[in-house]
Amino acid sequence: MIRLLDGPMTWVATGDSITQAALHTHGARGWVEHLHERVRWQLGRLTDVVVNTGVCAWGAADVLASHDRLIGRFEPDVLSVSLGTNDCLAGEEGLGEFQDAMRRIITGAGPRTQVVVHTPVLVSSSDRGRRAALPLYCQAAREIAKDTGALLVDHEAHWLEHYGTADPIAWLDDPAHPNAAGHLHMANHTLRVMGLGELDPL
């Protein structure tokens, strides 16, 4: 659960194209924009600042290399880190680099920052061969959250509850990117885990 401060807070969400919400929502809000709406409007925290620093096609090593640009200069009270969908293309061999970069991203945020770590969402059946290592990266995110004391938002588990082994195509725009419905599910799951309620019921 996220601890809300009495004064204004800065929220930073960093990650890849799913965080950036590039292209695949077709003009609808991405999950970070839904978070923004919930925090700054529905919760009445009008002077909070929500910053989205997701970058299309990036992985954990890329974010780490640009840590100050994407995270440090904002001195966030809450840092959301959602990576792994691109990293997993390196297979099991890339897992160590992913784990190291994720841990360094988190420890570099500072002791007062509340960190939220996300597992990636499911991909479609047509992409599971290319991203065969994705479950390993989801498990790594869980272990990193546990080891660092970060709050875990387990999107993989949430999507599996709804789809099991079936193709989650209703929540996807292409084999790996959520559509508007998928982003809304991501947002509401994130908000519930953060203890911030949720947007309109789905």
Short mmCIF file of all heavy atoms in Angstrom, two decimals, residues 148-202:
data_model
loop_
_atom_site.label_atom_id
_atom_site.label_comp_id
_atom_site.label_asym_id
_atom_site.label_seq_id
_atom_site.Cartn_x
_atom_site.Cartn_y
_atom_site.Cartn_z
N THR A 148 13.80 -6.13 -2.02
CA THR A 148 14.03 -4.70 -1.83
C THR A 148 12.94 -4.03 -0.99
O THR A 148 13.06 -2.85 -0.67
CB THR A 148 14.11 -3.97 -3.20
OG1 THR A 148 12.86 -4.15 -3.89
CG2 THR A 148 15.26 -4.52 -4.04
N GLY A 149 11.88 -4.76 -0.68
CA GLY A 149 10.77 -4.18 0.08
C GLY A 149 9.84 -3.35 -0.78
O GLY A 149 9.01 -2.60 -0.25
N ALA A 150 9.95 -3.46 -2.11
CA ALA A 150 9.07 -2.71 -3.00
C ALA A 150 7.68 -3.34 -3.00
O ALA A 150 7.50 -4.53 -2.73
CB ALA A 150 9.64 -2.70 -4.42
N LEU A 151 6.70 -2.53 -3.30
CA LEU A 151 5.34 -3.02 -3.48
C LEU A 151 5.25 -3.73 -4.82
O LEU A 151 5.74 -3.22 -5.83
CB LEU A 151 4.36 -1.85 -3.43
CG LEU A 151 2.87 -2.16 -3.50
CD1 LEU A 151 2.42 -2.93 -2.28
CD2 LEU A 151 2.06 -0.86 -3.63
N LEU A 152 4.66 -4.91 -4.86
CA LEU A 152 4.56 -5.68 -6.09
C LEU A 152 3.16 -5.58 -6.69
O LEU A 152 2.16 -5.85 -6.01
CB LEU A 152 4.87 -7.16 -5.82
CG LEU A 152 4.68 -8.10 -7.01
CD1 LEU A 152 5.72 -7.82 -8.10
CD2 LEU A 152 4.74 -9.55 -6.56
N VAL A 153 3.10 -5.20 -7.96
CA VAL A 153 1.87 -5.25 -8.73
C VAL A 153 2.05 -6.38 -9.75
O VAL A 153 2.79 -6.24 -10.72
CB VAL A 153 1.56 -3.91 -9.44
CG1 VAL A 153 0.29 -4.04 -10.26
CG2 VAL A 153 1.41 -2.79 -8.42
N ASP A 154 1.38 -7.48 -9.52
CA ASP A 154 1.60 -8.69 -10.31
C ASP A 154 0.56 -8.78 -11.44
O ASP A 154 -0.47 -9.43 -11.32
CB ASP A 154 1.54 -9.92 -9.41
CG ASP A 154 2.17 -11.15 -10.06
OD1 ASP A 154 2.26 -11.17 -11.30
OD2 ASP A 154 2.58 -12.06 -9.32
N HIS A 155 0.86 -8.10 -12.54
CA HIS A 155 -0.05 -8.12 -13.68
C HIS A 155 -0.13 -9.51 -14.30
O HIS A 155 -1.21 -9.93 -14.73
CB HIS A 155 0.41 -7.11 -14.75
CG HIS A 155 0.34 -5.70 -14.31
ND1 HIS A 155 -0.85 -5.04 -14.08
CD2 HIS A 155 1.33 -4.80 -14.05
CE1 HIS A 155 -0.60 -3.79 -13.71
NE2 HIS A 155 0.71 -3.63 -13.69
N GLU A 156 0.98 -10.21 -14.35
CA GLU A 156 0.94 -11.55 -14.94
C GLU A 156 -0.08 -12.42 -14.21
O GLU A 156 -0.92 -13.07 -14.84
CB GLU A 156 2.32 -12.22 -14.89
CG GLU A 156 2.31 -13.57 -15.60
CD GLU A 156 3.50 -14.45 -15.26
OE1 GLU A 156 3.84 -14.56 -14.07
OE2 GLU A 156 4.04 -15.06 -16.20
N ALA A 157 -0.02 -12.42 -12.89
CA ALA A 157 -0.96 -13.24 -12.11
C ALA A 157 -2.39 -12.77 -12.32
O ALA A 157 -3.32 -13.59 -12.42
CB ALA A 157 -0.59 -13.18 -10.63
N HIS A 158 -2.59 -11.46 -12.39
CA HIS A 158 -3.94 -10.91 -12.58
C HIS A 158 -4.50 -11.32 -13.94
O HIS A 158 -5.68 -11.72 -14.04
CB HIS A 158 -3.87 -9.38 -12.47
CG HIS A 158 -5.19 -8.70 -12.66
ND1 HIS A 158 -6.26 -8.89 -11.83
CD2 HIS A 158 -5.61 -7.82 -13.61
CE1 HIS A 158 -7.28 -8.16 -12.24
NE2 HIS A 158 -6.92 -7.50 -13.33
N TRP A 159 -3.69 -11.26 -14.98
CA TRP A 159 -4.16 -11.65 -16.31
C TRP A 159 -4.38 -13.16 -16.37
O TRP A 159 -5.32 -13.63 -17.02
CB TRP A 159 -3.16 -11.20 -17.38
CG TRP A 159 -3.21 -9.72 -17.67
CD1 TRP A 159 -3.30 -8.70 -16.75
CD2 TRP A 159 -3.19 -9.09 -18.95
NE1 TRP A 159 -3.33 -7.49 -17.38
CE2 TRP A 159 -3.26 -7.68 -18.73
CE3 TRP A 159 -3.10 -9.57 -20.26
CZ2 TRP A 159 -3.26 -6.76 -19.77
CZ3 TRP A 159 -3.08 -8.65 -21.30
CH2 TRP A 159 -3.16 -7.26 -21.06
N LEU A 160 -3.53 -13.94 -15.69
CA LEU A 160 -3.72 -15.39 -15.67
C LEU A 160 -5.02 -15.77 -14.97
O LEU A 160 -5.66 -16.76 -15.34
CB LEU A 160 -2.53 -16.07 -14.99
CG LEU A 160 -1.24 -16.17 -15.82
CD1 LEU A 160 -0.09 -16.64 -14.95
CD2 LEU A 160 -1.44 -17.12 -17.00
N GLU A 161 -5.41 -15.01 -13.96
CA GLU A 161 -6.68 -15.27 -13.28
C GLU A 161 -7.85 -15.17 -14.27
O GLU A 161 -8.84 -15.88 -14.15
CB GLU A 161 -6.89 -14.27 -12.14
CG GLU A 161 -6.05 -14.55 -10.91
CD GLU A 161 -6.25 -13.49 -9.84
OE1 GLU A 161 -7.17 -12.64 -9.99
OE2 GLU A 161 -5.48 -13.48 -8.86
N HIS A 162 -7.73 -14.23 -15.20
CA HIS A 162 -8.81 -14.02 -16.17
C HIS A 162 -8.72 -14.94 -17.38
O HIS A 162 -9.75 -15.34 -17.93
CB HIS A 162 -8.81 -12.56 -16.65
CG HIS A 162 -9.35 -11.60 -15.64
ND1 HIS A 162 -8.63 -11.19 -14.53
CD2 HIS A 162 -10.56 -11.00 -15.55
CE1 HIS A 162 -9.36 -10.34 -13.82
NE2 HIS A 162 -10.53 -10.22 -14.42
N TYR A 163 -7.50 -15.26 -17.82
CA TYR A 163 -7.34 -15.96 -19.09
C TYR A 163 -6.73 -17.36 -18.98
O TYR A 163 -6.90 -18.16 -19.91
CB TYR A 163 -6.49 -15.12 -20.05
CG TYR A 163 -7.24 -13.93 -20.59
CD1 TYR A 163 -7.07 -12.67 -20.04
CD2 TYR A 163 -8.13 -14.07 -21.65
CE1 TYR A 163 -7.78 -11.57 -20.54
CE2 TYR A 163 -8.83 -12.99 -22.15
CZ TYR A 163 -8.65 -11.75 -21.59
OH TYR A 163 -9.35 -10.66 -22.08
N GLY A 164 -6.01 -17.66 -17.91
CA GLY A 164 -5.33 -18.94 -17.84
C GLY A 164 -4.40 -19.11 -19.02
O GLY A 164 -3.59 -18.24 -19.33
N THR A 165 -4.53 -20.22 -19.73
CA THR A 165 -3.68 -20.46 -20.90
C THR A 165 -4.30 -19.93 -22.19
O THR A 165 -3.70 -20.05 -23.26
CB THR A 165 -3.41 -21.96 -21.06
OG1 THR A 165 -4.67 -22.64 -21.20
CG2 THR A 165 -2.66 -22.50 -19.85
N ALA A 166 -5.50 -19.35 -22.10
CA ALA A 166 -6.16 -18.82 -23.29
C ALA A 166 -5.47 -17.55 -23.78
O ALA A 166 -4.71 -16.90 -23.05
CB ALA A 166 -7.63 -18.52 -22.99
N ASP A 167 -5.73 -17.18 -25.00
CA ASP A 167 -5.13 -15.99 -25.60
C ASP A 167 -5.84 -14.74 -25.07
O ASP A 167 -7.05 -14.59 -25.23
CB ASP A 167 -5.30 -16.06 -27.12
CG ASP A 167 -4.31 -15.19 -27.86
OD1 ASP A 167 -3.77 -14.26 -27.25
OD2 ASP A 167 -4.09 -15.45 -29.05
N PRO A 168 -5.10 -13.81 -24.42
CA PRO A 168 -5.73 -12.62 -23.84
C PRO A 168 -5.99 -11.52 -24.86
O PRO A 168 -5.80 -10.33 -24.59
CB PRO A 168 -4.70 -12.18 -22.79
CG PRO A 168 -3.39 -12.55 -23.40
CD PRO A 168 -3.65 -13.85 -24.15
N ILE A 169 -6.42 -11.90 -26.05
CA ILE A 169 -6.49 -10.97 -27.17
C ILE A 169 -7.46 -9.82 -26.92
O ILE A 169 -7.27 -8.71 -27.45
CB ILE A 169 -6.84 -11.72 -28.47
CG1 ILE A 169 -6.53 -10.87 -29.70
CG2 ILE A 169 -8.28 -12.21 -28.46
CD1 ILE A 169 -5.07 -10.56 -29.89
N ALA A 170 -8.48 -10.01 -26.08
CA ALA A 170 -9.44 -8.93 -25.82
C ALA A 170 -8.79 -7.76 -25.10
O ALA A 170 -9.31 -6.64 -25.14
CB ALA A 170 -10.62 -9.45 -25.02
N TRP A 171 -7.65 -7.99 -24.44
CA TRP A 171 -6.96 -6.93 -23.72
C TRP A 171 -5.71 -6.46 -24.46
O TRP A 171 -4.93 -5.67 -23.92
CB TRP A 171 -6.58 -7.40 -22.31
CG TRP A 171 -7.75 -7.61 -21.38
CD1 TRP A 171 -9.07 -7.46 -21.68
CD2 TRP A 171 -7.69 -8.01 -20.01
NE1 TRP A 171 -9.85 -7.75 -20.58
CE2 TRP A 171 -9.04 -8.09 -19.53
CE3 TRP A 171 -6.65 -8.32 -19.13
CZ2 TRP A 171 -9.35 -8.46 -18.22
CZ3 TRP A 171 -6.96 -8.68 -17.83
CH2 TRP A 171 -8.28 -8.75 -17.38
N LEU A 172 -5.49 -6.95 -25.67
CA LEU A 172 -4.28 -6.62 -26.42
C LEU A 172 -4.63 -5.97 -27.74
O LEU A 172 -5.66 -6.26 -28.35
CB LEU A 172 -3.47 -7.90 -26.70
CG LEU A 172 -2.83 -8.60 -25.51
CD1 LEU A 172 -2.24 -9.94 -25.95
CD2 LEU A 172 -1.75 -7.74 -24.85
N ASP A 173 -3.71 -5.09 -28.19
CA ASP A 173 -3.84 -4.47 -29.51
C ASP A 173 -2.99 -5.18 -30.55
O ASP A 173 -3.30 -5.16 -31.73
CB ASP A 173 -3.45 -3.00 -29.44
CG ASP A 173 -3.66 -2.27 -30.75
OD1 ASP A 173 -4.83 -2.25 -31.22
OD2 ASP A 173 -2.70 -1.74 -31.32
N ASP A 174 -1.90 -5.77 -30.08
CA ASP A 174 -1.05 -6.61 -30.92
C ASP A 174 -0.50 -7.70 -30.01
O ASP A 174 -0.93 -7.80 -28.86
CB ASP A 174 0.03 -5.77 -31.63
CG ASP A 174 1.17 -5.33 -30.73
OD1 ASP A 174 1.13 -5.60 -29.51
OD2 ASP A 174 2.12 -4.71 -31.24
N PRO A 175 0.40 -8.55 -30.46
CA PRO A 175 0.81 -9.67 -29.61
C PRO A 175 1.40 -9.30 -28.24
O PRO A 175 1.37 -10.13 -27.33
CB PRO A 175 1.84 -10.40 -30.47
CG PRO A 175 1.39 -10.15 -31.87
CD PRO A 175 0.89 -8.72 -31.85
N ALA A 176 1.92 -8.09 -28.07
CA ALA A 176 2.59 -7.76 -26.82
C ALA A 176 2.11 -6.48 -26.13
O ALA A 176 2.51 -6.22 -25.00
CB ALA A 176 4.10 -7.63 -27.06
N HIS A 177 1.25 -5.69 -26.79
CA HIS A 177 0.88 -4.39 -26.24
C HIS A 177 -0.60 -4.34 -25.86
O HIS A 177 -1.46 -4.63 -26.70
CB HIS A 177 1.18 -3.28 -27.24
CG HIS A 177 2.63 -3.09 -27.52
ND1 HIS A 177 3.29 -3.81 -28.50
CD2 HIS A 177 3.55 -2.28 -26.96
CE1 HIS A 177 4.56 -3.45 -28.51
NE2 HIS A 177 4.75 -2.52 -27.59
N PRO A 178 -0.91 -3.95 -24.63
CA PRO A 178 -2.31 -3.82 -24.24
C PRO A 178 -3.04 -2.75 -25.05
O PRO A 178 -2.44 -1.74 -25.45
CB PRO A 178 -2.24 -3.41 -22.77
CG PRO A 178 -0.89 -3.85 -22.31
CD PRO A 178 0.00 -3.70 -23.51
N ASN A 179 -4.31 -3.00 -25.30
CA ASN A 179 -5.17 -1.99 -25.90
C ASN A 179 -5.79 -1.13 -24.79
O ASN A 179 -5.37 -1.21 -23.62
CB ASN A 179 -6.24 -2.66 -26.77
CG ASN A 179 -7.11 -3.65 -25.98
OD1 ASN A 179 -7.16 -3.61 -24.76
ND2 ASN A 179 -7.80 -4.53 -26.70
N ALA A 180 -6.77 -0.33 -25.13
CA ALA A 180 -7.38 0.55 -24.13
C ALA A 180 -7.97 -0.24 -22.97
O ALA A 180 -7.83 0.14 -21.80
CB ALA A 180 -8.45 1.42 -24.79
N ALA A 181 -8.65 -1.35 -23.28
CA ALA A 181 -9.23 -2.19 -22.21
C ALA A 181 -8.14 -2.78 -21.33
O ALA A 181 -8.25 -2.80 -20.10
CB ALA A 181 -10.08 -3.29 -22.82
N GLY A 182 -7.05 -3.25 -21.95
CA GLY A 182 -5.94 -3.80 -21.18
C GLY A 182 -5.32 -2.77 -20.26
O GLY A 182 -4.97 -3.07 -19.10
N HIS A 183 -5.16 -1.55 -20.75
CA HIS A 183 -4.60 -0.48 -19.92
C HIS A 183 -5.51 -0.14 -18.75
O HIS A 183 -5.04 0.12 -17.63
CB HIS A 183 -4.32 0.77 -20.76
CG HIS A 183 -2.98 0.74 -21.43
ND1 HIS A 183 -1.84 1.16 -20.80
CD2 HIS A 183 -2.61 0.32 -22.67
CE1 HIS A 183 -0.81 1.02 -21.62
NE2 HIS A 183 -1.25 0.51 -22.77
N LEU A 184 -6.81 -0.16 -18.96
CA LEU A 184 -7.73 0.12 -17.87
C LEU A 184 -7.66 -0.98 -16.82
O LEU A 184 -7.68 -0.69 -15.61
CB LEU A 184 -9.15 0.28 -18.41
CG LEU A 184 -10.22 0.70 -17.39
CD1 LEU A 184 -9.84 1.97 -16.65
CD2 LEU A 184 -11.57 0.86 -18.08
N HIS A 185 -7.55 -2.23 -17.25
CA HIS A 185 -7.37 -3.33 -16.29
C HIS A 185 -6.06 -3.18 -15.54
O HIS A 185 -6.00 -3.41 -14.31
CB HIS A 185 -7.43 -4.67 -17.01
CG HIS A 185 -8.82 -5.15 -17.30
ND1 HIS A 185 -9.61 -5.76 -16.34
CD2 HIS A 185 -9.56 -5.09 -18.42
CE1 HIS A 185 -10.77 -6.08 -16.88
NE2 HIS A 185 -10.77 -5.68 -18.14
N MET A 186 -4.99 -2.81 -16.24
CA MET A 186 -3.71 -2.58 -15.58
C MET A 186 -3.83 -1.47 -14.53
O MET A 186 -3.31 -1.59 -13.41
CB MET A 186 -2.64 -2.19 -16.60
CG MET A 186 -2.18 -3.31 -17.51
SD MET A 186 -0.84 -2.74 -18.62
CE MET A 186 0.49 -2.50 -17.43
N ALA A 187 -4.50 -0.39 -14.90
CA ALA A 187 -4.65 0.75 -14.00
C ALA A 187 -5.42 0.37 -12.74
O ALA A 187 -4.99 0.66 -11.61
CB ALA A 187 -5.35 1.90 -14.71
N ASN A 188 -6.55 -0.29 -12.92
CA ASN A 188 -7.35 -0.63 -11.76
C ASN A 188 -6.66 -1.64 -10.86
O ASN A 188 -6.74 -1.56 -9.62
CB ASN A 188 -8.73 -1.15 -12.19
CG ASN A 188 -9.72 -0.02 -12.38
OD1 ASN A 188 -9.62 1.03 -11.74
ND2 ASN A 188 -10.69 -0.22 -13.25
N HIS A 189 -5.95 -2.60 -11.45
CA HIS A 189 -5.20 -3.55 -10.62
C HIS A 189 -4.10 -2.83 -9.85
O HIS A 189 -3.90 -3.08 -8.65
CB HIS A 189 -4.61 -4.65 -11.51
CG HIS A 189 -3.89 -5.71 -10.74
ND1 HIS A 189 -4.48 -6.42 -9.72
CD2 HIS A 189 -2.62 -6.17 -10.82
CE1 HIS A 189 -3.62 -7.29 -9.21
NE2 HIS A 189 -2.48 -7.14 -9.87
N THR A 190 -3.40 -1.92 -10.52
CA THR A 190 -2.35 -1.13 -9.85
C THR A 190 -2.93 -0.30 -8.71
O THR A 190 -2.38 -0.28 -7.60
CB THR A 190 -1.65 -0.22 -10.87
OG1 THR A 190 -1.05 -1.03 -11.90
CG2 THR A 190 -0.58 0.63 -10.21
N LEU A 191 -4.02 0.38 -8.97
CA LEU A 191 -4.64 1.22 -7.95
C LEU A 191 -5.09 0.41 -6.75
O LEU A 191 -4.92 0.82 -5.59
CB LEU A 191 -5.82 1.99 -8.54
CG LEU A 191 -5.47 3.10 -9.52
CD1 LEU A 191 -6.70 3.55 -10.30
CD2 LEU A 191 -4.83 4.29 -8.78
N ARG A 192 -5.67 -0.77 -6.99
CA ARG A 192 -6.12 -1.61 -5.87
C ARG A 192 -4.94 -2.04 -5.01
O ARG A 192 -5.01 -2.00 -3.78
CB ARG A 192 -6.88 -2.82 -6.41
CG ARG A 192 -8.28 -2.50 -6.92
CD ARG A 192 -9.07 -3.76 -7.20
NE ARG A 192 -8.52 -4.55 -8.28
CZ ARG A 192 -8.90 -4.45 -9.54
NH1 ARG A 192 -9.86 -3.60 -9.90
NH2 ARG A 192 -8.36 -5.22 -10.48
N VAL A 193 -3.85 -2.47 -5.66
CA VAL A 193 -2.68 -2.90 -4.90
C VAL A 193 -2.07 -1.73 -4.12
O VAL A 193 -1.61 -1.89 -2.99
CB VAL A 193 -1.63 -3.53 -5.85
CG1 VAL A 193 -0.34 -3.83 -5.10
CG2 VAL A 193 -2.17 -4.80 -6.47
N MET A 194 -2.10 -0.55 -4.71
CA MET A 194 -1.58 0.64 -4.03
C MET A 194 -2.48 1.10 -2.88
O MET A 194 -2.08 1.97 -2.11
CB MET A 194 -1.43 1.79 -5.03
CG MET A 194 -0.26 1.67 -5.99
SD MET A 194 -0.20 3.14 -7.08
CE MET A 194 1.39 2.92 -7.84
N GLY A 195 -3.68 0.54 -2.80
CA GLY A 195 -4.62 0.97 -1.77
C GLY A 195 -5.32 2.27 -2.10
O GLY A 195 -5.78 2.98 -1.21
N LEU A 196 -5.44 2.56 -3.40
CA LEU A 196 -6.02 3.83 -3.85
C LEU A 196 -7.39 3.64 -4.50
O LEU A 196 -7.87 4.50 -5.23
CB LEU A 196 -5.07 4.52 -4.85
CG LEU A 196 -3.67 4.83 -4.33
CD1 LEU A 196 -2.82 5.45 -5.41
CD2 LEU A 196 -3.71 5.72 -3.09
N GLY A 197 -8.04 2.51 -4.23
CA GLY A 197 -9.35 2.26 -4.80
C GLY A 197 -9.24 1.88 -6.26
O GLY A 197 -8.30 1.21 -6.67
N GLU A 198 -10.21 2.31 -7.07
CA GLU A 198 -10.13 2.05 -8.50
C GLU A 198 -11.00 3.05 -9.25
O GLU A 198 -11.78 3.80 -8.65
CB GLU A 198 -10.57 0.63 -8.83
CG GLU A 198 -11.98 0.30 -8.45
CD GLU A 198 -12.36 -1.13 -8.83
OE1 GLU A 198 -11.47 -2.01 -8.80
OE2 GLU A 198 -13.53 -1.35 -9.15
N LEU A 199 -10.85 3.04 -10.55
CA LEU A 199 -11.67 3.88 -11.42
C LEU A 199 -13.05 3.25 -11.57
O LEU A 199 -13.40 2.33 -10.84
CB LEU A 199 -10.97 4.05 -12.76
CG LEU A 199 -9.63 4.81 -12.68
CD1 LEU A 199 -8.72 4.38 -13.79
CD2 LEU A 199 -9.87 6.30 -12.70
N ASP A 200 -13.84 3.71 -12.52
CA ASP A 200 -15.15 3.15 -12.72
C ASP A 200 -15.07 1.64 -12.92
O ASP A 200 -14.14 1.15 -13.58
CB ASP A 200 -15.83 3.78 -13.94
CG ASP A 200 -16.11 5.25 -13.73
OD1 ASP A 200 -16.22 5.67 -12.56
OD2 ASP A 200 -16.22 5.97 -14.73
N PRO A 201 -16.01 0.89 -12.35
CA PRO A 201 -15.97 -0.57 -12.50
C PRO A 201 -15.97 -0.99 -13.95
O PRO A 201 -16.59 -0.35 -14.81
CB PRO A 201 -17.25 -1.02 -11.80
CG PRO A 201 -17.60 0.09 -10.87
CD PRO A 201 -17.13 1.35 -11.55
N LEU A 202 -15.23 -2.09 -14.24
CA LEU A 202 -15.16 -2.59 -15.60
C LEU A 202 -16.40 -3.41 -15.93
O LEU A 202 -17.00 -4.01 -15.08
CB LEU A 202 -13.89 -3.45 -15.75
CG LEU A 202 -12.57 -2.68 -15.54
CD1 LEU A 202 -11.42 -3.63 -15.43
CD2 LEU A 202 -12.34 -1.73 -16.71
#
